[in-house]
Amino acid sequence: MKAIRRFTVRTVLPEQLQPLHDLALNLRWSWHPETRELFRSVDPEVWEATGEDPVRLLGEVPAARLAALAADRRFLRRLHDTADELHDYLTGPRWYQGAPPGTDGEPLPAAVAYFSPEYGIAAALPQYSGGLGILAGDHLKAASDLGVPIVGVGLFYRHGYFRQSLSRDGWQQERYPLLDPNELAVSLLREPDGSPCRVVLTLPGGRRLHAHIWKAQVGRVPLLLLDSDIEENSAAERDVTDRLYGGGSEHRLLQEMLLGIGGVRAVRTFCRLTGHPEPEVFHTNEGHAGFLGVERISELAHGTGLDFDAALEAVRAGTVFTTHTPVPAGIDRFDRDLVARHFGGDAALPGVPADRVLALGAESWEGGDPRLFNMAAMGLRLAQRANGVSTLHGEVSRRMFNGLWPGFDAPEVPITSITNGVHAPTWIDPAVVRLGAREIGAAHAENAMITGEAKRWHGVEAIADADIWELRRALRAQLVDEARRRLRTSWRQRGAGDAELGWTESALDPDVLTIGFARRVPSYKRLTLMLRDPERLRRLLLHPERPVQIVIAGKAHPADDGGKRLIQEMVRFSDDPAVRHRIVFLPDYDMAMAQHLYPGCDVWLNNPLRPLEACGTSGMKAALNGCLNLSVLDGWWDEWFDGSNGWAIPTAEGTGVGGNVHGAGMTGGQGIDADRRDDLEASALYDLIEHQVAARFYDRGPGGLPHRWIEMVRHTLVHLGPKVLAGRMVREYVDRLYAPAAAAQRRLAGTVPDGEAYSGARELAGWKSRVREAWSAVRVEHVEAGGPADAPELGSTLALRVQVALGALEPSDVDVQAVAGRVDDSDRITDAAVVSLKPSGRPGLDGRWLYEGPLELARTGPFGYTVRVLPAHPLLASTAELGLVAVPPESAGMDAGLLR
């Protein structure tokens, strides 16, 4: 019979073992080996059976075992030492507490709120689908290790993402097991009277969306997860947080409203109850949480009397927006009427007219769809600072969103980049850490993994070749054992009996070159590129002297039948009895699998369509374990491949980047037939594996060691290890985005010394309004250059004189610039240098201002310049912020230094 209600009966721990409860509820156990070993020692069999989950472990350990541990002095000493170490970790100063002040010597932010729709903290808290969530989890963990005062905000999905299995014919199957929060490392946030805290959103038609707040403690970082599956809601509202990335358009809109609006309210509640400092900076990880800015505008408009424009400026100053998508198709877009209905009428937020909300997400650029509300556009309009997640992705993003800053070339679009990193204590296998600690000391090794301050990992060079090779084989053997276990489980789910599964005992070989490929399965990641020439792949797998084996994993979105077909194609190939011992597909890719997969592979394969991989952090995790990368030059690999840390797969169409936010979307290999491109790139991949990768792996020297291969592994650890760390990434966020955002927020909020409340916000909003109204009268009317214009030589100087009409504006409102650099065949300036010109005297009788300044000819070859006028104000983060620019009228060209 099926139960009508399900709940968890918690174990009552003996008093001596109470610290186990606190250790289990702080997710630091997921990356702290000593704590994990303590829990393992409680009951090794139950630990394995519960998926290495301390909360479930404590719920299933027999009472007799707990009683025995309560009387075990040796265990109790370990327990109290571990609990004391956690207390020191949570309360002692870390990097942030000793970091130098930020912008203009101001203190670093008192707190930062970090919003993301998913978080990959541990397999035991399945609230993630892929890279975005894993990145968010690593961000929080690194912030905890560094002492950065972040508060994480997300949603609690009762069914998580989904569990994946395969049908007999290889088709992806999805299961959505119900998650009981009482079985997870979370606790309900409660009011002083013991009642659960709630946030409430007003919906159209008098409806209400209620949510409880679960708190997961990620080391020092609280993570607040909003849950709508509570009795106060009707059935439809209870399902808002049912699963990650599920449901229709309105369902997704309600999720994103709860995340953004409800998330801000959850943060306010948490700070009120705990005394945690209120965040000065709000970080939006992708556009899903963009409505947080609308809620904060409403807070200011309703609570301080600011008008919408001043509140908008105050909110923008303290907001950071990170975009992860390299294609317009990856952006959430909603019907404008749907958004209007949820932000108008009886559902309107106080002080926030629906038409102003709609303007934030409007696709107002040429080619935009006026019927749609664009979440990325709103995120960028609500944030004064924005970034992509690798250097190449920053370039892609500036082109993609260029339409929001008309008149500016893509390189000047105010979107910077901070390359992602990964949390080393989570992803480095303990055996790798032990080997490094043996050479450089445990404390040095731990500090190197956390801070990311070193340019190279000194000391690793001294590790002997034999030790590295022995470690790599042990990790490979560990993966082989895990893969065989998962293969058997998968085939049983597919209906196979034990009599059919004898072959799994010899699947894979711990002495064979092992390539890993694991990620989500959208088409652009090209799971099946390796199948373009099946016969050649078979020859590589079955080579008599240099065989290759491949371990593959990945999930397709439940609604993506195209992705499911790719998985089925791969599974059918790997089911072939002739090759199934050399290539395997492991279903249900999650963090637990990944922690075996990354260390156990010799080579990590990534072959997306360039430039559609925003960053691609799986290869970073592999590299931290001494795995070499074999990848298209996309994402992070484009900037950190150095020829000695792996191999670059040639692309069929150069490095061209194209497309924009209003186009049909960027595609890799533009100008070449897609099939032809895949054939060429697959052929290049086969050649690399056969003639370079496998050849080097099996090139054995004295003692049977592949010394050249081992040198590449050592080089990867020494030089790439420090770069790929989440600690490095979070420090860059603090220095380049959080600190400047906090300083700007204080200036606009009037919290700088002697500041009137929100005087800066009012000033900036009024100035922007005045500039926008007057800008149509701003013109560059005449440009002339004195000096050697007819026979220019390197090092000579042109004297520029520019006449500018400013209309109702003053020189203090603008920056008149000369922009100079190399020119291409169409007279476009590249690699530009910018020089600000100075006003000379008062305006003439005709109202025009004269600006003057020198222009040095600092390079040879084709050279050109132009001038422009931009708005200028000390409270702007970028001169492109308003998207306004005045340039000379189109002309036939230059003659004798005069613009005609």
Side-chain angles (χ1 to χ4, degrees):
M1 296 179 64
K2 188 175 181 179
I4 62 171
R5 187 179 178 198
R6 184 180 188 277
F7 53 88
T8 298
V9 180
R10 287 188 179 271
T11 299
V12 178
L13 292 173
E15 182 178 351
Q16 300 93 322
L17 302 182
Q18 280 301 314
L20 282 173
H21 176 74
D22 297 331
L23 290 169
L25 284 183
N26 192 309
L27 285 156
R28 187 188 180 225
W29 62 257
S30 68
W31 74 88
H32 190 245
E34 290 82 0
T35 306
R36 293 175 61 82
E37 285 304 312
L38 177 72
F39 281 116
R40 181 187 300 277
S41 70
V42 169
D43 191 317
E45 290 187 5
V46 176
W47 174 250
E48 296 294 335
T50 56
E52 302 186 352
D53 179 346
V55 175
R56 291 179 59 201
L57 169 79
L58 296 181
E60 298 187 22
V61 173
R65 174 60 178 163
L66 293 175
L69 290 173
D72 185 336
R73 292 184 181 179
R74 192 172 178 182
F75 179 83
L76 293 178
R77 279 197 299 271
R78 283 183 66 197
L79 172 59
H80 289 290
D81 286 347
T82 306
D84 288 345
E85 196 277 337
L86 176 62
H87 178 267
D88 292 344
Y89 173 87
L90 297 177
T91 58
R94 314 276 308 170
W95 169 84
Y96 193 82
Q97 286 65 46
T103 305
D104 298 328
E106 291 193 32
L108 297 177
V112 176
Y114 180 92
F115 285 64
S116 178
E118 53 173 304
Y119 289 90
I121 308 294
L125 187 64
Q127 301 289 300
Y128 60 92
S129 72
L132 179 68
I134 300 299
L135 181 279
D138 282 6
H139 196 107
L140 296 195
K141 294 174 191 177
S144 172
D145 288 342
L146 295 171
V148 181
I150 280 182
V151 178
V153 183
L155 300 180
F156 181 82
Y157 304 100
R158 289 286 176 142
H159 293 280
Y161 189 42
F162 70 88
R163 302 297 302 274
Q164 179 197 46
S165 59
L166 300 172
S167 69
R168 187 71 190 215
D169 67 351
W171 190 255
Q172 173 178 290
Q173 309 285 303
E174 297 98 23
R175 308 188 319 280
Y176 293 90
L178 180 66
L179 300 175
D180 181 355
N182 294 300
E183 292 181 333
L184 303 174
V186 296
S187 57
L188 198 59
L189 198 63
R190 296 182 180 275
E191 297 288 351
D193 63 4
S195 62
C197 297
R198 283 190 304 160
V199 297
V200 184
L201 272 63
T202 301
L203 302 181
R207 295 178 294 136
R208 298 287 186 272
L209 173 59
H210 302 256
H212 284 169
I213 306 166
W214 295 97
K215 179 175 75 73
Q217 193 66 38
V218 186
R220 298 167 69 114
V221 173
L223 170 58
L224 310 178
L225 302 171
L226 284 81
D227 178 10
S228 70
D229 188 15
I230 60 177
E231 294 180 357
E232 291 88 341
N233 284 327
S234 65
E237 279 72 52
R238 290 188 74 152
D239 285 344
V240 166
T241 56
D242 59 347
R243 62 189 61 176
L244 181 59
Y245 302 141
S249 185
E250 183 168 17
H251 184 267
R252 287 289 294 276
L253 178 63
L254 290 175
Q255 283 190 339
E256 299 187 6
M257 290 175 61
L258 182 60
L259 175 60
I261 299 170
V264 172
R265 297 175 186 179
V267 169
R268 304 303 186 205
T269 300
F270 175 76
C271 293
R272 169 176 58 83
L273 292 172
T274 65
H276 192 286
E278 291 282 352
E280 294 184 277
V281 177
F282 285 75
H283 184 175
T284 309
N285 191 38
E286 257 305 343
H288 308 283
F291 290 120
L292 72 86
V294 179
E295 168 66 9
R296 291 172 58 219
I297 290 172
S298 179
E299 284 182 334
L300 291 173
H302 185 62
T304 67
L306 288 182
D307 64 24
F308 183 94
D309 291 320
L312 171 61
E313 296 305 328
V315 165
R316 291 186 73 252
T319 301
V320 172
F321 176 77
T322 297
T323 174
H324 291 261
T325 180
V327 287
I331 297 170
D332 280 343
R333 301 158 86 201
F334 298 105
D335 185 278
R336 279 172 59 87
D337 292 340
L338 178 66
V339 176
R341 188 162 68 250
H342 283 81
F343 284 90
D346 59 353
L349 290 171
V352 181
D355 64 318
R356 299 303 301 268
V357 176
L358 293 174
L360 291 171
E363 296 193 350
S364 55
W365 48 85
E366 181 183 353
D369 191 334
R371 300 166 298 176
L372 295 179
F373 183 92
N374 187 302
M375 293 295 290
M378 178 176 68
L380 290 164
R381 287 181 173 126
L382 284 170
Q384 200 175 46
R385 288 163 179 82
N387 70 287
V389 292
S390 68
T391 300
L392 178 59
H393 181 238
E395 297 174 14
V396 170
S397 298
R398 287 187 287 275
R399 292 177 181 271
M400 181 171 157
F401 295 110
N402 203 166
L404 286 168
W405 289 272
F408 289 87
D409 292 338
E412 293 186 293
V413 168
I415 300 176
T416 186
S417 64
I418 292 179
T419 302
N420 283 343
V422 297
H423 185 245
T426 295
W427 300 110
I428 297 184
D429 191 273
V432 180
V433 178
R434 287 193 295 270
L435 180 60
R438 197 174 76 193
E439 293 294 333
I440 65 176
H444 187 187
E446 180 181 0
N447 184 65
M449 289 193 302
I450 288 173
T451 61
E453 291 181 299
K455 299 301 182 185
R456 56 185 287 158
W457 280 350
H458 293 284
V460 176
E461 302 100 323
I463 301 175
D465 282 11
D467 291 338
I468 291 177
W469 189 239
E470 181 182 353
L471 171 67
R472 292 298 315 147
R473 189 192 186 281
L475 295 174
R476 202 181 308 118
Q478 178 179 284
L479 171 60
V480 167
D481 288 343
E482 177 70 6
R484 289 172 179 173
R485 183 187 69 79
R486 288 179 177 269
L487 265 182
R488 288 190 290 272
T489 300
S490 173
W491 273 96
R492 288 191 182 103
Q493 290 173 336
R494 296 173 70 182
D498 289 343
E500 300 176 72
L501 298 181
W503 66 272
T504 62
E505 296 299 329
S506 58
L508 306 181
D509 184 328
D511 291 309
V512 167
L513 171 63
T514 303
I515 298 175
F517 183 101
R519 50 192 39 86
R520 290 185 303 110
V521 190
S523 60
Y524 78 87
K525 291 183 182 282
R526 297 195 293 183
L527 167 68
T528 57
L529 183 69
M530 67 182 78
L531 300 181
R532 296 296 293 183
D533 185 343
E535 289 309 313
R536 187 162 185 194
L537 177 59
R538 285 188 179 91
R539 291 198 299 272
L540 290 173
L541 296 172
L542 303 176
H543 194 285
E545 284 122 25
R546 299 196 300 271
V548 172
Q549 61 192 13
I550 307 177
V551 183
I552 301 165
K555 293 180 177 180
H557 187 279
D560 181 10
D561 282 351
K564 292 180 184 180
R565 280 190 289 271
L566 295 177
I567 289 175
Q568 186 178 48
E569 183 182 353
M570 179 58 68
V571 171
R572 286 177 170 172
F573 180 88
S574 65
D575 282 351
D576 182 350
V579 297
R580 64 187 180 185
H581 64 298
R582 287 282 185 260
I583 182 168
V584 298
F585 182 92
L586 303 180
D588 210 24
Y589 180 44
D590 65 358
M591 291 183 71
M593 182 195 295
Q595 286 169 324
H596 287 93
L597 193 53
Y598 299 136
C601 291
D602 300 295
V603 174
W604 196 256
L605 173 62
N606 190 25
N607 45 231
L609 289 173
R610 189 181 193 274
L612 304 188
E613 184 81 277
C615 186
T617 57
S618 61
M620 296 180 173
K621 298 160 195 159
L624 283 174
N625 290 280
C627 178
L628 306 179
N629 275 266
L630 171 61
S631 176
V632 167
L633 288 174
D634 202 0
W636 72 274
W637 191 236
D638 181 70
E639 62 194 273
W640 288 337
F641 166 66
D642 66 8
S644 298
N645 52 16
W647 296 268
I649 302 171
T651 52
E653 178 90 2
T655 59
V657 176
N660 51 46
V661 75
H662 53 74
M666 276 177 286
T667 57
Q670 294 167 354
I672 186 172
D673 175 75
D675 284 337
R676 174 67 174 157
R677 174 206 57 217
D678 285 353
D679 285 340
L680 290 171
E681 295 185 12
S683 179
L685 172 61
Y686 299 137
D687 286 343
L688 277 171
I689 293 174
E690 181 175 6
H691 302 301
Q692 295 190 41
V693 180
R696 181 158 296 193
F697 182 86
Y698 289 105
D699 177 18
R700 305 298 163 90
L705 300 179
H707 293 286
R708 291 199 302 157
W709 183 278
I710 294 169
E711 185 51 40
M712 292 181 73
V713 171
R714 184 183 287 109
H715 178 88
T716 293
L717 292 172
V718 170
H719 296 279
L720 197 52
K723 293 180 180 179
V724 302
L725 297 181
R728 183 270 312 154
M729 172 189 72
V730 171
R731 287 190 300 102
E732 285 193 40
Y733 273 104
V734 170
D735 294 340
R736 295 174 51 197
L737 295 177
Y738 294 166
Q745 191 274 337
R746 292 169 191 150
R747 288 195 294 270
L748 267 66
T751 54
V752 295
D754 303 322
E756 179 186 348
Y758 294 102
S759 58
R762 291 186 176 93
E763 176 196 342
L764 184 58
W767 177 83
K768 282 188 174 181
S769 176
R770 180 168 60 84
V771 167
R772 288 189 178 106
E773 184 176 347
W775 197 255
S776 61
V778 176
R779 295 185 301 276
V780 177
E781 298 201 333
H782 185 74
V783 180
E784 61 183 57
D790 292 332
E793 295 180 349
L794 180 67
S796 58
T797 300
L798 301 180
L800 294 183
R801 294 169 55 86
V802 182
Q803 291 184 336
V804 176
L806 296 181
L809 300 182
E810 296 292 326
S812 59
D813 295 320
V814 300
D815 185 16
V816 178
Q817 299 176 340
V819 182
R822 295 187 185 277
V823 291
D824 59 21
D825 292 341
S826 60
D827 289 341
R828 300 289 299 180
I829 297 173
T830 60
D831 194 19
V834 175
V835 177
S836 291
L837 307 179
K838 302 298 183 184
S840 176
R842 302 297 302 167
L845 296 177
D846 55 4
R848 295 191 296 182
W849 291 83
L850 176 64
Y851 279 76
E852 297 178 316
L855 178 62
E856 182 182 357
L857 305 183
R859 63 184 68 190
T860 58
F863 186 87
Y865 71 88
T866 187
V867 294
R868 65 183 181 184
V869 186
L870 303 174
H873 192 282
L875 295 177
L876 294 179
S878 162
T879 53
E881 187 169 314
L882 275 74
L884 298 175
V885 60
V887 297
E890 290 289 335
S891 68
M894 298 281 265
D895 181 24
L898 298 178
L899 183 72
R900 297 188 181 279

